[in-house]
Amino acid sequence: MAVNVWLAAAVAALLMTAALTLWELLQTTPPWAQALQLLGLLLSLCALLGLTRQQARQLELAKSEKLLLHQRVLEAVNAMPAGFDLWDSEDRLVLHNQVLEQQFAALGPLLQDGARFEDLVRESLKLGLVKEAMGREQAWLDERLRGRKAAGASANQPILHRYGERWTHVYQTRVPSGDLVSVRMDVTDLIETQQELARVQAVALQNQRLLEQAIDAMPAGIEIFDAQDRLVKANRRMQAWQPHQDYAQAQGQSFEALLRASLAHGALPAEAIGREDEWVAQRLASRGQTHEPLLNQLPNGLWLQTYETRTPEGYLLAVHQDVSDLVAKEQQLKASQTELEAIIRTAAVAIFTIDAQGQILSCNPASERLFGYAPSELVGQNINLLMDEPERSHHDHYLRRYAERGMGTLRGRPTEFHALHKSGRSLTVQVAVSEVRKPDGPLFVGVISDLTERKQFETELQHANERLLRLSTTDALTELANRRLLMQKLEEEWRRGLRTGTPLSLLLVDVDHFKLFNDHYGHQAGDEALIKVAQALSTSANRPADLVARYGGEEFVLLLAQTDVEGAMAVAERCREELRSAAIEHVLSSHSEYLTLSIGMSSAVPVRGGSASQWLAQADLALYQAKAQGRDRVVLAQLFGPV
C-alpha cells in the first residue's frame, strides 16, 4: 500500500513537470523540436505507468502468498494432536486450534480470538471445572495470573493442570514479541496409569510385608537366595540358629561369603572339622544340585535337615528343619539293629501278620491306636474285619487267587484302601504287604499307616486353594470378577472370536456422579450402592458365557461373548432399567433423583491386526462421549481400523 502511494505521487510530479516543460517548449522551441521533446515525455510517462502496474501486481501476489501461508499455518495448528493457543502481550487470545476447543468445550462461545485469559479462567472456576481450586477460587486465580505473568522464555518444564476430569501438561513459551505460546498435551491416561501403578505398588508392598511376617513366624529356618546366589531374605529362626551371622547386614552377600564367615567364626558343621576348605568347596559344588535333603550338625549340637529348591526364575529356597530329636532317637536305635527295626515298625504304624486264609496271627500295639481293637480282640479274626467296602468283598478272592497263581496287587508296593475303626468310623490307610515263605506255608506281613489326617489335610488344602483362587479372581466388595480375571477372559474371548468369526461385545459402565454420592451419603452407603449396582448388572447379563467384572472404583465391565450390537444394546438397556428399579436416591445428581449409569459399548467381530486392549480403549472413549452428552445413556463406539 505504501509503494502504491509513492508511485502515484511520482506520476503526479512527472505530469506536472511535463506540463511546465511543454509550456516552455511551446514558447521558445521550434515545432519539430517541440514534437520530439513531447514524444520523449510521453514515453517516460508510459514507462512509469507500466512500472506502477507491475508493482501493483507484485503487491497483490505477495498478499495472496501471505494469505496462503496464513491458511497453511491454521491447517498445521489444527492438525496438531495437542491443544495450541497463542496470546498477545495483553493476554488476549490470538490463535487457537480445534483440539483446544475440544479440551475446553465447556467454555462454549467464550473461547474465541480476542477473549481475555482471565475471563476464561473465571468462567472455568464458575463452572467448577478446576478441582484443585474448589473452596479457594479467588486465591487460586490470583496465583494463576501471577504465574502467567512470570512465564519465561523456556518451555522445557511443563505445568500439570487438571481441568474437569482430564489432566493436561501445559508447555508455555514467551517469545521476544511478548506473545505467549501454549501447547497442551492430554496426559490423563498417563496420570491414571501412574495412580494405578502406585496403588498396585502399595498392595504389592503390603503383600510383601505379610509374606515376610509369615516367613518370620515359621518354625523352620528359611533362606532365600537370588539367581546369583546372593542372600535376599533369612527369617528369625535362622538368626537364632546362626547367631554369628548378622543376616540384616548380610543381605546381598553371596552364599560363599556366608560360608566363609561361618568358617571364620568356627561355626561350620561338625563334619567339616579338619577339612574345612575341602568341605566348603564340596558344599559350593553341590549347591542346589540335588533334591536329597542335607543333614548337618552345628557346633552347638543342633541337627538341621536342609532342603534346597530352585524356582523357575533361578532363585534358591533353603528350608532348614530342626531334626535334633529325630537324630537323637535314631542314634539311640542304632545301638541295636534288631531294636531299631522293632521300634521303627512299632513307633508309628500298625503291623499285622496273617496266614494264607487271612487270619490274624499277631499285631503290634500301634494297631490298637489305629483301629481301636486290643490285640486280644484281633488275633484269630479275619483281617477283613478291619476293611470297608469294596475291599472287604474282594479280600478272600484276592487271597485265593494269590495262593493259586502267586499274583497280587498289594505285594511289594504301598496301596491305599478304606478301613473301619472299631467305632465304625471310616479310615484311610496305606498298607504295604510282604510275603514270608515258610515250610508250612506263606505268611504275610502288613505294615499299615494312617492317612486319614493327611487325606483330610489334602482335602482342606484343596478347598483352601479353591478359595484362594476364587479370592484372587473376585472383587472383595461386589463378589464380581476382578480386573485380573476380566483381562484374562477378555484375551480368551478375543482369541476365540478370531478363530470362530463370532461377534464380541463389551459394555464399560460408570456410575454417574458417584464421587458426589460418596461424599454426601458416606463410604458405607457408597459400598452398599456399588453392591446393588453389581446385582443389577449380574441380573441383566446372566448367561453362562457372560462375565460381569468390577473394573475399578465405580466402573464395571460386561463381557458378552457371541453377542452382536443389538444384543449388547438390549443388555445395556436392561442394566439401566434394573438400576432404575432399584431406585437408589441421589439428591446431588444433576439429571436424575436416582443413581444412573453411563455406558460405553464396543461390538465387533475380532480381526487380525487388532487387539483386545484397543477394543477396550474404544469402549472407554464411547463412555467418555456418553458422559459428555449428559450421562444416563448408552453410546456405541465408532470403531476405526481393525479391532
Side-chain angles (χ1 to χ4, degrees):
M1 180 63 70
V3 173
N4 290 337
V5 171
W6 284 107
L7 285 175
V11 170
L14 182 60
L15 289 174
M16 184 182 298
T17 304
L20 294 174
T21 304
L22 181 60
W23 172 260
E24 183 181 355
L25 288 174
L26 292 176
Q27 299 295 324
T28 60
T29 307
W32 61 269
Q34 293 176 6
L36 289 178
Q37 289 181 353
L38 179 60
L39 179 61
L41 288 173
L42 290 175
L43 288 176
S44 298
L45 180 60
C46 290
L48 184 58
L49 291 174
L51 177 62
T52 302
R53 294 184 62 186
Q54 181 180 1
Q55 289 292 333
R57 286 196 299 270
Q58 289 178 350
L59 287 174
E60 289 296 327
L61 180 60
K63 182 178 180 181
S64 175
E65 290 178 349
K66 183 178 180 180
L67 289 175
L68 180 60
L69 177 60
H70 181 70
Q71 181 65 27
R72 288 180 176 177
V73 170
L74 288 177
E75 291 176 354
V77 168
N78 280 325
M80 294 177 63
F84 176 87
D85 45 290
L86 175 64
W87 307 81
D88 63 16
S89 59
E90 296 180 357
D91 228 1
R92 293 184 179 273
L93 187 60
V94 176
L95 180 66
H96 68 282
N97 64 357
Q98 296 173 354
V99 176
L100 188 77
E101 293 179 356
Q102 296 171 3
Q103 292 175 343
F104 296 91
L107 296 179
L110 293 179
L111 186 65
Q112 57 184 344
D113 294 347
R116 296 174 66 246
F117 176 78
E118 181 177 348
D119 294 340
L120 297 178
V121 176
R122 288 187 183 277
E123 182 65 18
S124 299
L125 293 173
K126 179 180 177 182
L127 295 174
L129 298 175
V130 185
K131 306 296 183 183
E132 62 187 279
M134 288 186 175
R136 51 183 298 271
E137 286 80 356
Q138 186 59 47
W140 186 90
L141 175 63
D142 294 341
E143 294 172 3
R144 184 74 177 90
L145 294 177
R146 284 197 298 270
R148 181 81 168 177
K149 293 179 179 179
S154 174
N156 294 330
Q157 297 298 326
I159 304 171
L160 182 63
H161 284 306
R162 184 180 182 185
Y163 187 82
E165 300 300 326
R166 310 299 294 179
W167 291 90
T168 306
H169 263 158
V170 181
Y171 296 82
Q172 294 183 338
T173 302
R174 183 78 67 182
V175 298
S177 65
D179 291 353
L180 185 67
V181 181
S182 297
V183 178
R184 304 171 187 271
M185 300 291 294
D186 190 324
V187 293
T188 304
D189 292 342
L190 175 61
I191 296 299
E192 291 177 349
T193 300
Q194 290 174 344
Q195 292 172 345
E196 178 65 16
L197 177 60
R199 186 192 66 80
V200 171
Q201 289 175 338
V203 172
L205 180 60
Q206 181 182 8
N207 291 339
Q208 180 181 353
R209 289 173 179 170
L210 290 175
L211 178 60
E212 290 177 351
Q213 292 172 0
I215 291 175
D216 276 338
M218 293 183 67
I222 304 294
E223 291 178 309
I224 303 175
F225 293 84
D226 63 15
Q228 286 72 44
D229 215 12
R230 296 172 300 197
L231 181 66
V232 176
K233 173 69 177 176
N235 67 352
R236 296 176 182 174
R237 185 71 61 178
M238 283 305 302
Q239 186 64 71
W241 287 344
Q242 301 271 30
H244 66 280
Q245 296 279 13
D246 186 350
Y247 280 105
Q249 297 295 327
Q251 289 188 9
Q253 294 186 15
S254 66
F255 174 70
E256 181 177 359
L258 297 181
L259 280 184
R260 299 294 180 187
S262 296
L263 174 61
H265 287 84
L268 289 179
E271 64 179 83
I273 303 303
R275 59 182 197 96
E276 287 81 358
D277 291 336
E278 177 187 356
W279 185 90
V280 168
Q282 292 175 349
R283 182 71 180 90
L284 292 174
S286 64
R287 174 75 164 161
Q289 301 298 317
T290 177
H291 297 292
E292 296 297 325
L294 304 173
L295 183 63
N296 292 308
Q297 184 183 24
L298 301 183
N300 58 9
L302 188 70
W303 284 92
L304 294 183
Q305 187 165 261
T306 301
Y307 297 85
E308 294 181 342
T309 305
R310 285 205 180 273
T311 68
E313 296 80 12
Y315 278 53
L316 188 141
L317 174 65
V319 180
H320 307 273
Q321 291 182 318
D322 183 358
V323 294
S324 301
D325 293 342
L326 294 177
V327 171
K329 291 179 180 179
E330 183 179 356
Q331 290 174 341
Q332 292 172 3
L333 293 176
K334 283 184 178 180
S336 171
Q337 186 64 33
T338 303
E339 182 182 2
L340 174 63
E341 293 175 357
I343 293 176
I344 291 177
R345 287 197 303 269
T346 60
V349 296
I351 301 175
F352 291 82
T353 59
I354 62 174
D355 62 16
Q357 288 73 43
Q359 299 297 315
I360 299 174
L361 302 177
S362 66
C363 58
N364 67 344
S367 62
E368 182 176 359
R369 296 193 297 271
L370 179 57
F371 294 102
Y373 294 96
S376 60
E377 295 177 288
L378 292 174
V379 174
Q381 300 293 325
N382 194 294
I383 192 68
N384 64 15
L385 173 68
L386 306 176
M387 297 180 182
D388 199 355
E389 295 295 345
E391 286 83 1
R392 175 180 291 180
S393 301
H394 299 319
H395 176 257
D396 292 341
H397 172 71
Y398 169 80
L399 286 179
R400 286 194 300 271
R401 187 177 64 177
Y402 184 82
E404 294 169 359
R405 305 178 185 178
M407 299 174 60
T409 59
L410 295 181
R411 185 168 65 90
R413 61 186 179 88
T415 303
E416 293 182 13
F417 73 91
H418 298 289
L420 284 176
H421 190 269
K422 181 180 180 179
S423 64
R425 177 167 51 89
S426 179
L427 301 173
T428 302
V429 299
Q430 184 182 74
V431 58
V433 178
S434 299
E435 181 183 5
V436 179
R437 294 191 176 273
K438 299 182 65 176
D440 56 349
L443 293 178
F444 299 95
V445 179
V447 179
I448 304 176
S449 56
D450 187 6
L451 301 181
T452 306
E453 292 185 0
R454 193 186 81 180
K455 286 295 182 182
Q456 182 179 359
F457 174 76
E458 291 175 353
T459 302
E460 293 174 352
L461 181 61
Q462 181 181 359
H463 292 164
N465 287 335
E466 292 172 354
R467 290 194 299 270
L468 180 61
L469 177 60
R470 182 174 62 84
L471 290 173
S472 67
T473 57
T474 304
D475 177 64
L477 175 64
T478 62
E479 297 186 354
L480 297 178
N482 62 12
R483 187 168 185 164
R484 172 184 176 186
L485 180 58
L486 168 67
M487 300 311 294
Q488 174 185 338
K489 291 296 184 182
L490 177 57
E491 289 294 336
E492 292 175 0
E493 293 299 337
W494 185 265
R495 290 193 293 270
R496 190 198 308 276
L498 286 176
R499 294 195 306 269
T500 62
T502 54
L504 183 63
S505 296
L506 182 142
L507 305 180
L508 185 55
V509 181
D510 184 83
V511 182
D512 292 329
H513 303 298
F514 186 74
K515 185 178 184 303
L516 296 176
F517 183 94
N518 236 10
D519 293 341
H520 181 72
Y521 294 98
H523 291 289
Q524 182 175 355
D527 289 346
E528 293 173 355
L530 288 178
I531 292 172
K532 291 181 180 178
V533 171
Q535 293 171 348
L537 299 181
S538 298
T539 302
S540 303
N542 52 15
R543 298 184 309 166
D546 295 338
L547 179 70
V548 183
R550 186 180 182 190
Y551 193 62
E554 66 272 20
E555 289 189 330
F556 300 81
V557 171
L558 280 70
L559 181 61
L560 308 175
Q562 301 179 13
T563 304
D564 57 13
V565 173
E566 291 75 16
M569 185 63 72
V571 173
E573 292 301 333
R574 281 203 302 270
C575 292
R576 297 178 62 224
E577 182 60 33
E578 285 290 335
L579 189 60
R580 280 195 294 269
S581 299
I584 304 172
E585 184 182 33
H586 189 358
V587 298
L588 295 184
S589 175
S590 60
H591 59 273
S592 173
E593 60 181 321
Y594 300 112
L595 211 59
T596 59
L597 299 177
S598 293
I599 302 176
M601 184 174 76
S602 287
S603 183
V605 176
V607 296
R608 301 291 177 184
S611 70
S613 60
Q614 294 172 347
W615 189 57
L616 181 59
Q618 300 214 11
D620 186 53
L621 179 59
L623 174 60
Y624 175 78
Q625 293 171 349
K627 293 179 181 179
Q629 294 173 14
R631 304 180 185 266
D632 190 18
R633 66 194 63 232
V634 183
V635 172
L636 174 64
Q638 300 300 316
L639 304 180
F640 301 97
V643 295

